[in-house]
Amino acid sequence: MLRYFGSTFLILTALAMTARADEVQLTDGSKIVGQVEQLADGKVKIKTDFAGDLIIDAAKVKGISTTQPMAVQVQSGERYIGNLKVSPAGQQQVVRAQAATQPVSVGQITAVWPPDQPSPQEAALQAKLHAKHWSFHLEAGLDGQTGNSELVNLNAQGHATYKADEDSLRFYFLTRYSRSNGVTSAQQELGGIDFEHDFNPRLFAFGNLELENNRVSGLALRTTLVGGPGYYLVRDPDLSFKVRGGLGFEHDSYYGGTPARDNAAAQLGEFLTWKPTSWLTFEHSIVYSPTFHQAGDYRVVMVNGLIVPLTSDKVWNLHVGMRNEYVGEPPPPYKRLDTFYFL
C-alpha cells in the first residue's frame, strides 16, 4: 500500500510539474517545454530540464504559453502583464490582470520578461551605465606635396574615456597644422577634460575644462571652465541625444598686443550619436558659448562626422567630417568663421 501511494504521489507530482510548464510552439509543429525566461532582440530564451537554456529565433516561434504572468511589450510601445496563451487559431493572447484579454499576434511582440525585473532594454542600458572600462580612440591624417609647390597638411585628434557606474571621465585633444609655400595657414592645439555624473538614466551633471591655442587666429591661450546640468532626450544603444547647459569662466589671451580678457561665461550644447546600421555611425554636436562681456561676444562650434568601420572588429575605421567655429567678435584682422575638413 505504501509503495502504491508513493508511486501515485510521484506520478501526480510529475503531472503537476508538466501542467505548470511553459510551452513554446515552433512553426514546424514541434513544441519545447520548460520555463520561458524572456524574449528580446528577436530571440526567445527558455530554460529546459533536458538541455538547459535554449535560445530560439523568434521568427521560428508560432506561439508561447506561460503558466505565470509575464510582462509583454508590443511594437506600438504598449505593455501588458498577464499569462500568454495560444488560441486554437494560433493567435497570441495576453491576459491582463483585470481579466481582460488582449489579442496580439506573435510577430507584434518585441519583448517578454518577468514582471518583477527590468525590461531587456532597461537591463542592457543599466549594464552599459555600470560598465567599468577604459576606451581609447586615435585618428590622424597627413598629406603633402613638393616640387612646383610645397604643401603640408597634418591633423590628429583622439580621446580616452573611463566609465565606472554612473560616472564618465573623458580626456580629449585635437591638433592641426597646414603650411603652403612657406606660409602657415593653420596651427591649432586644443585639449580638455570632460566629466559627467548620472543621477538616473536621463538626468546628469557635467563639468568641462578646455585649453586652446590657435596661432593663425591670434589666440595665444583660451581657458574655459564650465559646469551644469544635462538631460538625455533619447538614450538607446543605437541613438543617443542629449542637451546640457552651464555657467563658468573664460580667459582669453592674444598675440600681437591685444589685451587679455576674463569673463563670466555660459555654455549650451546638444550632442547626437546615431547608428542607423552596424557599419555606419553619425555624430553631430553644436556648442554655443557666450560670455557676459557684451551681446556679440560668443562662439559657436559645430562638428559633423561619419564613421565607417574598415574591419569586422571595428578597430580600424574611416572618419570623415567637418568642424565649423564661428566667433562673434574676433580680434582684427581675423575672420569670424573657421572651417576645418578632416578625413
Side-chain angles (χ1 to χ4, degrees):
M1 182 65 68
L2 181 62
R3 180 179 301 177
Y4 170 77
F5 282 115
S7 301
T8 303
F9 176 77
L10 292 176
I11 293 173
L12 292 176
T13 301
L15 290 174
M17 294 179 62
T18 301
R20 291 199 304 267
D22 300 337
E23 187 177 275
V24 175
Q25 299 180 10
L26 304 183
T27 54
D28 63 1
S30 59
K31 299 179 181 180
I32 299 177
V33 177
Q35 180 181 349
V36 173
E37 296 186 338
Q38 73 170 22
L39 186 157
D41 299 324
K43 304 291 183 182
V44 177
K45 182 178 180 181
I46 180 171
K47 185 176 183 180
T48 66
D49 292 332
F50 62 91
D53 290 337
L54 295 180
I55 306 297
I56 306 168
D57 189 346
K60 298 180 180 180
V61 174
K62 180 180 179 181
I64 302 173
S65 297
T66 65
T67 57
Q68 299 295 327
M70 301 290 286
V72 180
Q73 179 174 303
V74 295
Q75 292 176 347
S76 63
E78 293 182 286
R79 293 184 177 183
Y80 310 102
I81 296 180
N83 296 70
L84 295 171
K85 299 294 181 182
V86 180
S87 67
Q91 186 182 52
Q92 190 75 10
Q93 293 186 335
V94 180
V95 182
R96 300 188 190 182
Q98 293 84 0
T101 299
Q102 177 65 35
V104 180
S105 66
V106 178
Q108 291 179 314
I109 298 177
T110 58
V112 174
W113 69 96
D116 59 342
Q117 297 180 14
S119 71
Q121 296 91 338
E122 293 168 345
L125 179 58
Q126 291 176 5
K128 183 177 180 180
L129 292 177
H130 295 165
K132 301 180 181 181
H133 65 275
W134 280 98
S135 62
F136 301 92
H137 176 89
L138 178 64
E139 61 186 60
L142 172 66
D143 62 86
Q145 179 180 337
T146 61
N148 294 321
S149 62
E150 302 292 329
L151 174 66
V152 176
N153 291 315
L154 171 66
N155 69 82
Q157 57 183 326
H159 57 80
T161 304
Y162 180 73
K163 292 186 177 181
D165 295 329
E166 294 84 15
D167 297 326
S168 174
L169 182 64
R170 181 172 178 263
F171 301 87
Y172 62 93
F173 79 94
L174 178 150
T175 181
R176 59 189 180 104
Y177 175 81
S178 182
R179 188 175 182 86
S180 178
N181 295 324
V183 179
T184 301
S185 57
Q187 186 174 350
Q188 179 187 25
E189 295 83 30
L190 181 151
I193 303 173
D194 197 84
F195 174 77
E196 291 186 357
H197 172 77
D198 293 315
F199 296 109
N200 57 53
R202 297 283 188 178
L203 183 64
F204 66 94
F206 81 97
N208 178 265
L209 171 64
E210 185 172 278
L211 306 175
E212 179 183 1
N213 170 273
N214 194 328
R215 184 174 294 273
V216 174
S217 298
L219 180 65
L221 178 63
R222 171 178 290 131
T223 303
T224 307
L225 178 63
V226 295
Y231 188 79
Y232 278 91
L233 299 173
V234 181
R235 196 173 192 181
D236 293 327
D238 294 331
L239 178 61
S240 171
F241 182 47
K242 66 182 179 182
V243 294
R244 68 185 199 181
L247 300 174
F249 170 82
E250 182 178 291
H251 167 81
D252 293 340
S253 60
Y254 302 93
Y255 296 108
T258 302
R261 298 188 304 187
D262 294 316
N263 292 298
Q267 187 180 98
L268 297 172
E270 53 99 350
F271 306 84
L272 170 70
T273 301
W274 179 37
K275 299 179 180 179
T277 68
S278 61
W279 53 268
L280 181 65
T281 301
F282 172 69
E283 294 182 330
H284 162 77
S285 66
I286 298 179
V287 178
Y288 169 63
S289 303
T291 70
F292 295 95
H293 173 65
Q294 57 186 20
D297 188 16
Y298 64 89
R299 290 179 296 114
V300 179
V301 178
M302 180 174 66
V303 181
N304 293 293
L306 291 173
I307 300 176
V308 180
L310 301 178
T311 56
S312 59
D313 56 11
K314 299 184 180 180
V315 173
W316 292 97
N317 303 274
L318 177 66
H319 190 191
V320 58
M322 177 174 61
R323 184 180 191 271
N324 297 294
E325 182 172 357
Y326 184 87
V327 180
E329 292 186 347
Y334 304 107
K335 297 180 178 181
R336 293 184 175 184
L337 180 62
D338 193 11
T339 300
F340 167 52
Y341 305 93
F342 56 86
L343 175 65

